[in-house]
């Protein structure tokens, strides 16, 4: 099945490299419904793949060289595969080249390649444009190099590229959502066992949509905030004598409060209560459908705002305006410090929401936000 977008990627490849690609692979961005900063604490997450995708057109070369190009810059980065390291690559090419590197580390038999990337996943909005690049390229190189790795292994390849070549200490959620997404389902992932279960979301039947509200405040996971939160979680776990915060229940928080520094306690408290909210949300979706999960979404936002302290004024504003516009629930989504919030809302209320958010942002002197609906889509696949 080849779409217009996948043909555009093949066309871009032809223009840049003068030949047709051997195939086009695509992978989606993701929205996290709930379960934030729980993945690297071996907890629970509930993301879904969205109907915004990255397309990777690939062709093999015989000289051990990788050339990467994209529709968003004129630059073509060229490097010998054997020379890829966190010192030798910088910028966006670190994602695809990092994937090639991680596949080689995992024992793949590498061959040079040309790559052209085209994408409609917004960058810096917290919708995992980076995981979409990683997963489309990982799937493509896995096929062309005959590596035969399963999707769960490819998720780890993407994460390793991001951790070790790009230098962002992120967890496994984004790559899993991008690879394992299922139309109209959320992906319930246990980040300890890495067992993923697709749970029906049922938005259409309930007359609901999920609106992404991109604040246009760009978030960067290589900046210090994300790593600092991760370090606080690790120190909290160490002081409480557990291997990860996954091992704590809400009943343990009293003891944690006595033992921990107040800031570390707040970080721990977010993770422990967030894990509980993910489990509750899954149960509510199964029992009653998406109309029932509003309180969990907002409680998650409050916890990120007050305890994990990763929200910003623009995200708080988008969430509050959503609720006063009649949303079932709303929360910031993704790593934080910028990016997007989501509102779960009846279709008939979206126009009023858009107007109210635009007005409030303008009144407060914030950048003009961008709002668009997304649906839960299928994960990464070969397009042609
Ligand atoms: C980013 C990271 C994920 C996850 C989220 C926060 O998206 O890439 O691994 O930690 O932040 O939930």
């Amino acid at each position: 099945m080849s779409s217009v977008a996948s043909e555009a990627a093949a066309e871009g490849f032809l223009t840049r490299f003068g030949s047709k690609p051997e195939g086009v692979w695509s992978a989606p961005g993701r929205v996290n419904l709930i379960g934030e900063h729980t993945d690297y604490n071996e907890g629970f997450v509930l993301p879904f793949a969205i109907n915004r995708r990255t397309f990777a057109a690939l062709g093999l070369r015989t000289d051990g060289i990788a050339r990467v190009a994209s529709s968003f810059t004129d630059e073509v980065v060229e490097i010998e595969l054997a020379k890829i390291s966190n010192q030798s690559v910088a910028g966006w090419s670190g994602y695809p080249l990092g994937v090639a590197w991680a596949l080689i580390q995992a024992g793949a038999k590498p061959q040079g390649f040309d790559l052209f990337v085209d994408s409609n996943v917004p960058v810096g909005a917290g919708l995992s444009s980076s995981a979409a690049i990683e997963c489309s390229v990982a799937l493509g190189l896995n096929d062309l190099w005959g590596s035969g790795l399963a999707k769960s292994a490819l998720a780890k390849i993407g994460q390793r590229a991001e951790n070790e070549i790009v230098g962002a200490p992120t967890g496994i959620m984004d790559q899993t959502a991008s690879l394992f997404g299922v139309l109209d389902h959320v992906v319930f992932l246990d980040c300890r066992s890495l067992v993923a279960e697709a749970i029906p979301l049922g938005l259409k039947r309930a007359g609901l949509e999920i609106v992404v509200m991109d604040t246009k405040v760009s978030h960067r996971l290589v900046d210090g905030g994300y790593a600092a939160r991760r370090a606080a979680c690790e120190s909290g776990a160490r002081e409480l004598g557990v291997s990860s915060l996954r091992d704590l229940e809400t009943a343990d928080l009293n003891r944690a409060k006595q033992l921990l520094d107040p800031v570390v306690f707040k970080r721990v408290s977010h993770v422990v209560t967030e894990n509980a909210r993910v489990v509750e949300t899954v149960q509510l979706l199964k029992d009653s459908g998406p109309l029932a999960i509003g309180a969990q979404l907002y409680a998650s936002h409050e916890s990120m705002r007050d305890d994990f302290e990763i929200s910003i004024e623009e995200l708080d504003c988008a969430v509050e305006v959503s609720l006063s516009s009649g949303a079932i629930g709303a929360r910031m989504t993704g790593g934080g410090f910028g990016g997007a919030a989501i509102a779960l809302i009846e279709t008939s209320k979206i126009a009023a929401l858009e107007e109210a958010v635009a007005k409030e942002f303008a009144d407060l002197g914030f950048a003009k936000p961008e709002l668009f609906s997304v649906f839960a889509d299928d994960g990464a696949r070969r397009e042609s």
Side-chain angles (χ1 to χ4, degrees):
M1 183 185 58
S2 169
S3 63
V4 174
S6 117
E7 277 159 27
E11 207 41 55
F13 184 100
L14 179 64
T15 309
R16 291 297 171 91
F17 300 120
S19 61
K20 286 190 173 170
E22 275 158 68
V24 178
W25 290 258
S26 79
R30 65 99 188 90
V31 154
N32 190 14
L33 184 63
I34 192 164
E36 222 67 81
H37 288 263
T38 44
D39 60 353
Y40 55 79
N41 290 301
E42 299 192 344
F44 301 107
V45 291
L46 198 60
F48 60 91
I50 59 174
N51 53 317
R52 298 282 188 121
R53 305 182 83 83
T54 292
F55 296 82
L58 280 159
L60 289 176
R61 305 168 56 88
T62 51
D63 56 3
I65 283 176
R67 293 192 298 178
V68 302
S70 74
S71 57
F72 33 91
T73 141
D74 287 337
E75 180 197 27
V76 179
V77 175
E78 186 171 327
I79 188 167
E80 268 176 56
L81 284 176
K83 295 205 168 132
I84 299 172
S85 75
N86 58 3
Q87 302 298 314
S88 64
V89 299
W92 82 272
S93 68
Y95 297 102
L97 293 173
V99 163
W101 173 87
L103 280 167
I104 296 168
Q105 300 303 307
K109 300 232 170 340
Q111 251 183 286
F113 61 87
D114 287 333
L115 164 70
F116 181 82
V117 171
D118 197 3
S119 180
N120 58 33
V121 185
V123 173
L127 301 177
S128 295
S129 56
S130 43
I133 297 177
E134 290 153 15
C135 295
S136 57
V137 172
L139 203 63
L141 288 181
N142 188 49
D143 281 359
L144 289 182
W145 289 356
S147 305
L149 293 175
K151 280 185 180 179
S152 49
L154 295 180
K156 287 191 185 153
I157 293 287
Q159 184 192 14
R160 198 161 175 209
E162 194 150 340
N163 292 170
E164 295 185 41
I165 298 297
V166 179
T170 49
I172 193 77
M173 167 170 75
D174 306 341
Q175 294 80 4
T176 305
S178 183
L179 286 158
F180 287 89
V182 178
L183 186 71
D184 204 23
H185 286 66
V186 277
V187 180
F188 177 35
L189 177 69
D190 177 338
C191 300
R192 173 167 274 172
S193 67
L194 296 182
V195 172
E197 180 189 353
I199 312 279
L201 186 52
L203 289 184
K204 231 189 195 139
R205 206 168 348 108
L208 297 177
E209 288 184 40
I210 288 178
V211 176
V212 170
M213 301 174 283
D214 179 0
T215 63
K216 297 287 173 181
V217 180
S218 185
H219 86 141
R220 283 177 43 81
L221 298 177
V222 284
D223 290 345
Y226 185 96
R229 294 305 179 279
R230 189 168 178 156
C233 292
E234 281 160 8
S235 102
R238 236 186 347 265
E239 282 170 58
L240 293 166
V242 289
S243 70
S244 81
L245 296 182
R246 160 65 178 277
D247 294 318
L248 301 177
E249 308 277 338
T250 43
D252 297 316
L253 288 175
N254 268 339
R255 181 176 68 98
K257 193 169 188 175
Q258 312 303 317
L259 290 172
L260 298 176
D261 152 272
V263 172
V264 174
F265 172 70
K266 288 212 278 184
R267 309 300 187 242
V268 168
S269 183
H270 164 72
V271 173
V272 173
T273 58
E274 186 78 348
N275 276 331
R277 281 185 290 271
V278 176
V279 174
E280 282 163 24
T281 304
V282 168
Q283 200 55 49
L284 287 166
L285 281 175
K286 286 180 174 171
D287 294 345
S288 319
L291 279 163
I293 65 170
Q296 278 64 30
L297 298 187
Y298 187 58
S300 168
H301 184 76
E302 286 181 301
S303 177
M304 287 187 284
R305 184 191 62 201
D306 302 337
D307 285 343
F308 220 59
E309 296 180 283
I310 54 171
S311 189
I312 59 168
E313 281 182 357
E314 286 86 341
L315 291 167
D316 294 340
C317 172
V319 167
E320 296 306 328
V321 174
S322 300
L323 296 179
S324 55
S325 303
I328 305 289
R331 62 186 285 279
M332 55 149 282
T333 186
F337 309 103
I342 52 167
L344 176 66
I345 187 164
E346 284 165 41
T347 304
S348 61
K349 293 181 176 163
I350 292 179
L353 169 70
E354 286 174 348
E355 205 174 301
V357 171
K359 180 170 184 319
E360 194 67 15
F361 270 54
D363 287 353
L364 292 169
F366 297 160
K368 193 169 182 288
E370 195 186 338
L371 275 63
F372 52 92
S373 287
V374 290
F375 61 82
D377 204 353
D378 287 322
R381 61 182 174 229
R382 185 168 191 161
E383 297 277 343
S384 65

